[in-house]
Amino acid sequence: MRILVTGGAGYIGSHFARMVSKSNDEVIVADNLSRGHQESIPDGVQFKNVDIRDAEKISEVIRKYSPEAVVHFAAFAYVEESVEHPELYYQNNVVGSYNLIRAASENKVKYFVFSSTCSVYGNPGKVPISEEAQTNPINPYANTKLIIEMMLKDFQSAYGMKYVSLRYFNAAGADDSGEIGESHNPEPHLIPIVLEAANGKREKVSVFGNDYNTPDGTCIRDYIHVNDLSNAHVKALEHLSSGNESTIINLGTGSGNSVMEIIKTAEKVTGKNILFGIAKRRKGDPAILVADNTKALKILNWKPKYTIDDIIRTAWRWHQNPKY
Ligand code: UDP
């Protein structure tokens, strides 16, 4: 299959591009490199430096390559930044995705797989969270992702482009090769921050609140390895190309770890002492986010393989010797 991967130089997109580039698929990465890294694009993959906000250009790329499928990772994804600068998020995520979805649909792209997020659920009424749960996004980033999901549904109804929206829980870890990994600037995510404290790049970890209603008082998240996520995109494409219907699917392991458990696991895996201090709660953080992943297991015939130890071990390997 010929697949256009937007955001293929970003964290999750580059892991997906690497995975599919090893198969018979033909991969074209479209990325504006504003937050991605050209070094992360695998050899043998065609690269177009294009910005999805440029409607003409993105349409030209789709006409030129006529992909059968688009896998759409390109997005801004910092919650805090989205609160301070919603315009960036509505322009890049919503307008950019509109340009892409419209061009894909007009040019008869058959399948579209979209990177969505569990943050569309906001503060969930119950956990684990199934796809049936009410969506109630509580920040502009999550709003933009939900709008794109709706756009896909409406375009499919009118023009027939089939889609799968994948609602990720907490993406983490790195490819086993050590050649690609997570590199955000600034870095807001817990596991990289904990590993930076382990390798001396930062003094300590601030634990955002230890008075939540959880067994150790710290927040619980469902950490899912980036290659398990990537593999689910492969399965989503298979799902669509086998003639199945468009759908929305949660991607998580179905079990969670608290912030303190992550610090303790990282100490075990790295053999380092990790300093931490208790800080105030971070605004908007729900106590527990864990996926009900029954639908992914059943419909995609997918199963996460990496444990939390594997996630931290692969991330540690990367953080000791990051290539970008
Ligand atoms: N967290 C923390 N200290 C940090 C970064 C994150 O205690 O320096 C906590 C955060 O409050 C959340 C969890 O770690 O409960 C995961 O946060 P992250 O930003 O990695 O992902 P999110 O769940 O916000 O998407």
Side-chain angles (χ1 to χ4, degrees):
M1 192 186 286
R2 188 178 301 150
I3 309 170
L4 178 72
V5 183
T6 72
Y11 171 43
I12 305 171
S14 64
H15 284 77
F16 171 78
R18 188 181 171 94
M19 188 174 278
V20 284
S21 70
K22 290 180 187 153
S23 64
N24 286 332
D25 295 313
E26 188 187 337
V27 182
I28 304 111
V29 162
D31 199 296
N32 67 355
L33 298 177
S34 71
R35 295 188 178 180
H37 307 272
Q38 190 153 5
E39 304 92 310
S40 71
I41 300 170
D43 293 338
V45 161
Q46 304 183 64
F47 170 59
K48 294 300 288 180
N49 189 331
V50 56
D51 191 319
I52 54 173
R53 286 168 291 196
D54 187 336
E56 249 328 290
K57 264 251 180 75
I58 197 69
S59 172
E60 202 182 292
V61 169
I62 290 187
R63 284 198 307 272
K64 173 164 179 210
Y65 291 100
S66 288
E68 244 183 300
V70 171
V71 182
H72 178 35
F73 297 94
F76 286 162
Y78 292 132
V79 170
E80 223 177 317
E81 181 184 61
S82 80
V83 175
E84 282 158 17
H85 294 290
E87 71 284 2
L88 291 178
Y89 282 70
Y90 282 91
Q91 189 194 40
N92 193 52
N93 296 3
V94 176
V95 176
S97 297
Y98 164 74
N99 293 336
L100 179 69
I101 291 167
R102 185 179 152 185
S105 194
E106 272 176 5
N107 291 287
K108 305 283 171 257
V109 167
K110 286 193 185 142
Y111 316 120
F112 196 103
V113 178
F114 172 55
S115 287
S116 189
T117 167
C118 69
S119 59
V120 297
Y121 299 113
N123 283 303
K126 78 174 211 253
V127 281
I129 308 168
S130 85
E131 294 82 357
E132 304 304 314
Q134 184 79 40
T135 52
N136 182 25
I138 55 170
N139 57 62
Y141 163 67
N143 282 335
T144 65
K145 290 286 179 172
L146 189 57
I147 290 169
I148 300 161
E149 286 191 7
M150 294 194 261
M151 204 167 0
L152 282 168
K153 183 164 181 263
D154 292 338
F155 272 72
Q156 119 107 46
S157 301
Y159 307 116
M161 183 171 69
K162 295 267 185 78
Y163 71 92
V164 177
S165 287
L166 296 170
R167 292 177 175 166
Y168 311 158
F169 282 66
N170 287 57
D175 188 57
D176 304 85
S177 66
E179 282 173 17
I180 53 176
E182 186 168 12
S183 175
H184 294 120
N185 186 17
E187 182 53 76
H189 295 123
L190 180 67
I191 291 179
I193 286 174
V194 166
L195 296 177
E196 283 174 15
N199 70 12
K201 278 204 183 133
R202 70 174 74 214
E203 195 203 335
K204 62 172 187 172
V205 180
S206 295
V207 174
F208 297 149
N210 67 348
D211 56 353
Y212 284 94
N213 188 15
T214 60
D216 67 17
T218 64
C219 287
I220 294 177
R221 294 289 180 273
D222 184 338
Y223 296 93
I224 168 96
H225 194 277
V226 62
N227 280 345
D228 280 331
L229 280 183
S230 299
N231 186 238
H233 292 68
V234 174
K235 299 274 190 181
L237 288 172
E238 283 169 12
H239 168 85
L240 293 175
S241 61
S242 319
N244 294 297
E245 289 310 310
S246 297
T247 190
I248 295 176
I249 299 183
N250 285 343
L251 292 180
T253 63
S255 67
N257 290 100
S258 71
V259 175
M260 283 315 300
E261 283 171 348
I262 294 296
I263 295 175
K264 293 300 154 201
T265 308
E267 284 190 324
K268 184 184 76 184
V269 169
T270 64
K272 307 273 186 191
N273 189 28
I274 298 171
L275 298 179
F276 66 88
I278 306 300
K280 308 207 291 286
R281 287 183 176 199
R282 190 171 65 179
K283 227 176 120 213
D285 266 345
I288 309 180
L289 290 175
V290 172
D292 176 342
N293 63 6
T294 317
K295 190 170 174 185
L297 266 57
K298 194 167 148 223
I299 294 201
L300 296 184
N301 190 23
W302 165 87
K303 209 168 151 197
K305 296 196 183 93
Y306 292 80
T307 63
I308 192 67
D309 284 34
D310 297 331
I311 288 175
I312 294 180
R313 180 179 45 75
T314 55
W316 178 233
R317 179 167 184 190
W318 165 256
H319 278 277
Q320 284 174 293
N321 186 16
K323 311 280 192 248
Y324 43 86

